[in-house]
Amino acid sequence: MSTPITVAYGDGIGPEIMEAVLSILREAEAKISVDVIEIGERVYNKKWSHGISPSGWESIERTKILLKSPTTTPQGKGHKSLNVALRKNLELYANIRPCISYHPVIESKFDKFDVVVIRENEEDVYTGIEHRLTGDSYQCTKIITRPGSEKICRCAFEYAKKYNREKVTCLTKDNIMKMTDGAFHAAFDCIAKEYPDIKAEHYIVDIGIARVATEPEKFDVIVTENLYGDILSDIVAQTSGSVGLAGSSNIGSEYAMFEAVHGSAPDIAGKNMANPSGLLNAAVHMLIYTGQVGTAKLIYDAWLKTLEDGIHTADLYKEKRSKQKVGTKKFAEAVVDNLGKKPTTLSELIVGSSLDSKVNKTQGDFNQSYKIRKLVGSDITLAWNKSADFDQIVKLFESSNLKIIAIYSKGLAIWPGSPKSLSDQITCRFIANNEKKTITNSDINSLLVKLEENSFDVVKMDKLYLYDGKEGFFS
């Protein structure tokens, strides 16, 4: 029985590499039935702001699986990222990118490594929540949730378990972002306890990425947040020899999307030069996801044999290592000719015998992690074009239920004391005058009204809570 999939040819080199990949899938007798949709630039031009039409969404909702070529997001007002829209709307919480060194066939600085980057796909600064607060100040909001963090960390350990991996490494910056990245690190430590047979380790992201770039052979599975994962996955892919070889899986609880990690390369579109390997590897991941492990191994081994034979597209061709420079179509034909053959130098595809292709069957614990939440104050941000004399605003609230205990500019305390720097926005921290007094939303609203009445320009407000007596804000 065939598995229905939605196929999107994309932009630039997308149609060429997709046709090459589908030709290999057909010759390998992959059990799929294809529904083609149009996405990308032409759809943007038809006024669909996300680059996909309602009929395209309907197809994906029906098949639950999307094999996608690269697309181009036009520059200009109103055009939104198609990839972000797909990941959000389909709740594709996990981006899984295996990166392997193909030494000595493909030139690489490292003889051997096999790293899988598992990136959280829905949260972090990629939620797209940004604001201009004042003339000079801009804000990007970072969202990290405990359920989302638990879910991606469990996905990483499940992947390691299913694929017989030995170690999972977590990367965060919780020495600086103690609450957001701290929550991700805490979730990792919690989930790691469920997998005592798999080694768990944590690095601060800067030194962690530096070590991945210089000692990739020491890493196995890496799990991290959205932004760090986006940067890291390209670094690891390039370290392996070429970004053009890497395929990517985007997995959710109901839907899945498979794609190459490179761009649409419009400069070589239509020239029969593009390397279809990244999209082919994505298709291999798709076959594993749908339970067609045998066909996936057949195609992957044929692809490796083609690389070993020295049949390379222009991006990989080296006179000392390669034997024949070919175009997109000829490369696909060479892979087809090698179906049923095994590589002799490069490692064959290994899939754990206990593999459940849908490693996404994990749900975070959505129960509240506290018993008592108490409102104790508010951070109120003001547009500020006055002098550094804050007495006028501090005195205004001396007899209120909430008093100003500090004033910050870009996170630096500038009152009490002498300000060292001052931008065109400041944040006043209001805390209850009496610790025993219960603060209400009305007290916060009164602050805002009083500020407005005295011609202070409020641009942002955050409530401050204690969770079971512990501060839910950084001070």
Side-chain angles (χ1 to χ4, degrees):
M1 183 176 177
S2 295
T3 299
I5 68 168
T6 299
V7 166
Y9 278 69
D11 301 317
I13 61 172
E16 298 166 76
I17 62 173
M18 180 61 77
E19 194 52 54
V21 168
L22 291 179
S23 70
I24 296 170
L25 293 177
R26 284 193 294 267
E27 293 297 328
E29 298 183 353
K31 293 180 173 60
I32 57 172
S33 58
V34 172
D35 183 20
V36 177
I37 65 170
E38 188 178 42
I39 61 173
E41 281 188 302
R42 288 183 294 276
V43 182
Y44 282 115
N45 293 335
K46 294 176 183 177
K47 308 304 181 185
W48 303 109
S49 64
H50 286 102
I52 183 170
S53 68
S55 61
W57 285 117
E58 289 170 5
S59 175
I60 298 169
E61 289 170 3
R62 182 173 61 257
T63 67
K64 313 296 184 187
I65 298 172
L66 173 62
L67 179 63
K68 171 186 165 294
S69 276
T71 56
T72 300
T73 303
Q75 299 296 312
K77 185 177 180 180
H79 295 126
K80 301 176 182 179
S81 168
L82 173 59
N83 268 5
V84 172
L86 288 165
R87 289 167 183 165
K88 286 185 177 181
N89 284 278
L90 303 178
E91 298 182 340
L92 305 176
Y93 69 85
N95 181 284
I96 302 173
R97 188 183 297 187
C99 296
I100 301 170
S101 169
Y102 299 101
H103 180 88
V105 176
I106 302 300
E107 185 175 355
S108 173
K109 293 181 179 179
F110 302 95
D111 291 353
K112 188 175 183 180
F113 72 89
D114 184 352
V115 178
V116 179
V117 178
I118 297 184
R119 161 192 169 194
E120 199 288 320
N121 228 12
E122 295 182 287
E123 300 185 348
D124 202 357
V125 293
Y126 281 47
T127 56
I129 304 171
E130 294 188 282
H131 300 91
R132 183 174 184 173
L133 299 180
T134 64
D136 294 336
S137 301
Y138 302 80
Q139 172 185 273
C140 180
T141 302
K142 175 169 181 162
I143 302 292
I144 299 291
T145 69
R146 185 170 60 88
S149 300
E150 289 179 351
K151 190 159 57 172
I152 193 65
C153 290
R154 185 173 286 110
C155 176
F157 280 98
E158 279 295 307
Y159 187 97
K161 179 180 176 181
K162 303 303 184 184
Y163 284 84
N164 300 318
R165 300 277 182 157
E166 297 179 352
K167 181 172 66 175
V168 178
T169 304
C170 175
L171 302 181
T172 72
K173 190 68 175 174
D174 61 345
N175 59 329
I176 302 298
M177 287 164 280
K178 301 181 186 296
M179 302 197 71
T180 50
D181 284 32
F184 193 94
H185 188 176
F188 175 80
D189 288 344
C190 179
I191 298 301
K193 295 175 183 177
E194 300 177 19
Y195 300 86
D197 296 333
I198 300 172
K199 183 180 179 181
E201 66 180 11
H202 172 268
Y203 284 108
I204 297 300
V205 65
D206 41 9
I207 186 61
I209 287 182
R211 289 185 176 179
V212 173
T214 54
E215 303 174 289
E217 70 280 359
K218 293 186 177 180
F219 293 85
D220 198 345
V221 176
I222 302 174
V223 63
T224 190
E225 299 166 26
N226 207 337
L227 176 60
Y228 309 145
D230 193 3
I231 297 168
L232 174 65
S233 54
D234 277 354
I235 290 174
V236 178
Q238 187 63 39
T239 301
S240 72
S242 173
V243 171
L245 301 180
S248 177
S249 306
N250 295 269
I251 306 297
S253 58
E254 187 175 1
Y255 300 93
M257 177 174 71
F258 302 89
E259 59 183 343
V261 304
H262 57 73
S264 58
D267 55 320
I268 61 169
K271 297 180 180 179
N272 190 33
M273 294 174 57
N275 187 346
S277 295
L279 187 60
L280 182 62
N281 276 317
V284 168
H285 302 164
M286 179 190 72
L287 292 173
I288 295 173
Y289 177 85
T290 61
Q292 300 181 60
V293 176
T295 307
K297 287 175 64 66
L298 178 72
I299 293 172
Y300 188 76
D301 288 347
W303 175 71
L304 291 179
K305 183 66 167 62
T306 304
L307 294 182
E308 282 188 351
D309 290 345
I311 301 173
H312 299 159
T313 47
D315 59 315
L316 299 180
Y317 185 83
K318 303 287 183 182
E319 286 189 5
K320 293 182 179 180
R321 296 174 182 266
S322 306
K323 294 180 181 178
Q324 184 180 359
K325 184 189 292 186
V326 296
T328 310
K329 293 179 181 178
K330 288 291 185 182
F331 184 83
E333 290 171 3
V335 174
V336 169
D337 289 341
N338 279 324
L339 289 172
K341 299 177 183 179
K342 302 282 188 180
T344 57
T345 302
L346 299 175
S347 299
E348 298 177 37
L349 181 65
I350 298 175
V351 178
S353 58
S354 61
L355 174 67
D356 174 358
S357 61
K358 296 186 179 180
V359 297
N360 55 311
K361 291 181 179 177
T362 60
Q363 293 295 328
D365 177 7
F366 285 85
N367 295 324
Q368 289 182 331
S369 58
Y370 63 91
K371 295 179 180 178
I372 299 174
R373 184 179 73 165
K374 181 181 179 182
L375 181 63
V376 295
S378 176
D379 280 347
I380 298 179
T381 301
L382 308 174
W384 193 259
N385 57 5
K386 307 177 188 298
S387 69
D389 180 7
F390 301 117
D391 290 344
Q392 53 181 320
I393 189 171
V394 173
K395 290 179 180 179
L396 192 61
F397 295 97
E398 284 181 336
S399 60
S400 301
N401 288 338
L402 291 134
K403 63 178 179 179
I404 296 178
I405 65 164
I407 298 176
Y408 302 91
S409 177
K410 296 185 290 187
L412 175 69
I414 56 175
W415 182 91
S418 301
K420 296 180 180 179
S421 64
L422 184 64
S423 69
D424 68 343
Q425 55 101 346
I426 62 171
T427 299
C428 301
R429 174 156 292 179
F430 290 84
I431 295 291
N433 251 322
N434 186 337
E435 292 183 3
K436 296 182 180 180
K437 180 175 175 57
T438 300
I439 299 300
T440 66
N441 287 325
S442 295
D443 292 314
I444 305 297
N445 291 337
S446 295
L447 289 179
L448 299 174
V449 170
K450 198 166 189 178
L451 287 164
E452 179 69 24
E453 288 175 345
N454 286 271
S455 300
F456 290 103
D457 184 7
V458 176
V459 295
K460 184 173 179 288
M461 185 274 289
D462 298 287
K463 296 178 183 178
L464 307 179
Y465 291 97
L466 298 181
Y467 292 83
D468 292 335
K470 185 177 179 180
E471 291 181 351
F473 50 94
F474 188 65
S475 58

